[in-house]
Amino acid sequence: MAKYLFRIDDVCPRMDFEKFERLINLFNRFGVKPLLAMVPDNQHETLKRNKSNPWFWQRVKELVNDGFTVGMHGYHHKYVNKSGGLLKIFQES
């Protein structure tokens, strides 16, 4: 039997919560609990969709209590150099 891991990247206090909640509802409908890849202090401009959500950390706690897993996806999510890393897929890292 195949097993799959789903990961939601760039979960942060200023993300688009409407889209995030729609995605969470979809996963819940099928009984899937993805890994939430967190960026606690996001500094990446394209991820700053809204003002910081005051209920963000409470919502994360609720999701963890519901069986979701949280992982770190970088503390600031900020590009600090022009290295493409090991795979050279992107021009920044």
Side-chain angles (χ1 to χ4, degrees), residues 68-87:
F68 288 76
T69 301
V70 171
M72 183 68 78
H73 184 53
Y75 188 72
H76 295 296
H77 204 284
K78 188 174 182 179
Y79 294 119
V80 294
N81 64 52
K82 297 291 183 184
S83 169
L86 292 173
L87 301 177

Side-chain angles (χ1 to χ4, degrees), residues 30-88:
F30 292 99
V32 175
K33 305 298 182 187
L35 172 67
L36 303 176
M38 308 290 293
V39 183
D41 186 29
N42 171 53
Q43 299 299 313
H44 194 271
E45 290 301 319
T46 61
L47 299 178
K48 294 179 180 179
R49 302 287 184 185
N50 299 302
K51 291 182 180 179
S52 188
N53 185 327
W55 300 104
F56 175 76
W57 293 110
Q58 179 59 39
R59 182 64 177 129
V60 169
K61 288 177 187 176
E62 292 169 0
L63 291 169
V64 168
N65 288 339
D66 193 34
F68 288 76
T69 301
V70 171
M72 183 68 78
H73 184 53
Y75 188 72
H76 295 296
H77 204 284
K78 188 174 182 179
Y79 294 119
V80 294
N81 64 52
K82 297 291 183 184
S83 169
L86 292 173
L87 301 177
K88 306 288 186 219

